[in-house]
Amino acid sequence: MVTLSIQLPLILLMSKAIILILPLLLLLNPTSKRSSIPAVPFWVSLYDTCRGVSRLQFYKTRLQPLLDRHGAVYVWNAGRWTVLVTKPEYLLRMFRNETVVAKGGFYRKVPWGSFAMLFGENIIDSHGATWDRFASVIRPAIQKPTDIESLRERSSQLADLFLTTQKNGSLTPGVTIDPLIQRWAIAVYGETFLDSEIGCMDDPANPLESSVTAVKSNIVGPLFAEFPFLEKLSFVFPRRRRAITAIKRFEHLLVKHVDSQAPTFNGKEKLIHRLLRARERSELTEFHYRSNLKMLTIAGHENAQLALTSALWEIGVQQSVQEELLKDISTLPKTYTVRELDRLPYLAAVICEVLRLYPPISQLINRVTLDDFDLANGLRIPAGTWMGWNSYGVHTNPEYWGKSAKEFQPLRWGNDINSVNNLFRLSQAKGHFIPFNAYSRRCPGSGFALVQLKVVLVEILRKASWTADPTYHFSLTSRSVLAPRNCRLVFTPRSEESYIHTLS
């Protein structure tokens, strides 16, 4: 009661402050001094945020009508007016001008916020000499893999986990796949990049994996993201306090895990070896070491987790796609190589189509103009403006992908591997396909991610068939990440006989 009596006056004070501030914000002309770029009115953003509208729904109802006509729009984000871009010409100009439109991130944008606490200053969000230093340490260790035995074993184990969970039964016909995929993704990341077994495949209560779940569950919501000053009032908001606690626990357990495993270089240099050595040589401060370790651990598992969830959903819904995939992978030997995987056209096309229709990071505003920037003739962006992109908007625009842009059609990428690879490269070069960003800041782990998705789909297809749970109501995640929410699928063991019958 004492706490409540203290909080109520504060909440009332905040409410009065917002009531006083809102008219001033509403009177502002969001397009003044901003050339001809339109803006989503502030009150619209506030209204939808308070209603709990998802990022994707906000895009479809508020942003898309303006972006389809103009290619760029001003939108309220993180307590300021920002520019969101989807027109390929604008995207390419923004990506190519890294010296003017520099990477920033949460640590620079909202330094007191939960995301800044979680990610610090890292390779994804840094700029200039700082990024050069991070990249020299990290990029050589996250390239396309050649040895995939451990990845294959963990992926086969995931297939077994789906089938075991299905057999054990639940209150619904299907299996909720996301928690199981997270365990797989974190296990793969640990073995591949941290040179250690985290142990979460065998232990659903693994402390480190559980701490990741706690961070995702408690990280601040849309209201805090749009009005970050609220994060300074942690004594008023229990969720903010829970987020801080979850982030601190995750960092503690992650560093403790690395220290307890004491990874040693044994001829196969991995990411953690390079990070530890850079810290020992003072090439990375303790803060930068921890920032990159946390960011890479989150990004290194979550993007694969989201993409696989989306892929399994579409393959489960479209049984013809599942049958074609079975035919495609039938040419693989029991133990296969990356080169043999890379020859399979339909598998590559399915993954490209998943990344097109379900880009794991659907929207990101993490660049800031260091000087006035000409986005196009007559479109000047003032210095100090934060800019970003909406990949879902680019990937589903009929102007670039045809009338079927919002449909899952793998064959749009081609029938042979050369056609698929050529369209993949051409679409990136044109700015039509940006799941991995572009140019000098293209995701250095993209090669590994593509191999990872190929391996796990092959291993699951070899052991199981699956369909959508008839009681599951499809919906998408509400944050900037994109995938089916709480997806449920029904798995059936695939016997050798049924596998051969399907191929015939």
Side-chain angles (χ1 to χ4, degrees), residues 364-419:
L364 191 61
I365 300 175
N366 71 337
R367 293 173 180 260
V368 61
T369 54
L370 303 181
D371 200 349
D372 288 354
F373 174 64
D374 290 323
L375 190 60
N377 290 334
L379 296 180
R380 169 158 287 198
I381 310 299
T385 303
W386 285 84
M387 298 185 66
W389 40 262
N390 188 294
S391 54
Y392 178 83
V394 185
H395 293 182
T396 58
N397 192 322
E399 184 178 349
Y400 319 124
W401 294 97
K403 294 181 180 180
S404 63
K406 293 185 179 180
E407 299 175 10
F408 189 83
Q409 296 183 2
L411 288 178
R412 76 171 73 245
W413 295 87
N415 293 298
D416 61 85
I417 194 61
N418 288 332
S419 298

Side-chain angles (χ1 to χ4, degrees), residues 11-69:
I11 295 172
L12 290 172
L13 182 62
M14 287 171 49
S15 302
K16 291 178 181 178
I18 292 174
I19 290 171
L20 290 173
I21 292 171
L22 280 180
L24 297 176
L25 292 169
L26 292 171
L27 287 172
L28 291 176
N29 179 5
T31 57
S32 64
K33 301 180 181 179
R34 295 192 179 107
S35 63
S36 59
I37 298 177
V40 176
F42 170 80
W43 69 267
V44 171
S45 295
L46 177 63
Y47 175 64
D48 282 357
T49 298
C50 293
R51 289 195 303 138
V53 172
S54 70
R55 285 291 178 93
L56 185 59
Q57 189 61 28
F58 183 78
Y59 168 79
K60 289 179 177 180
T61 57
R62 309 301 189 184
L63 295 173
Q64 185 176 3
L66 296 173
L67 286 167
D68 284 353
R69 291 198 301 270

Side-chain angles (χ1 to χ4, degrees), residues 192-212:
T192 305
F193 299 109
L194 301 184
D195 195 24
S196 61
E197 290 191 15
I198 292 176
C200 51
M201 286 297 286
D202 298 318
D203 180 12
N206 177 269
L208 180 53
E209 192 265 339
S210 297
S211 74
V212 172

Side-chain angles (χ1 to χ4, degrees), residues 65-77:
L66 296 173
L67 286 167
D68 284 353
R69 291 198 301 270
H70 303 277
V73 63
Y74 273 93
V75 62
W76 185 263
N77 177 267

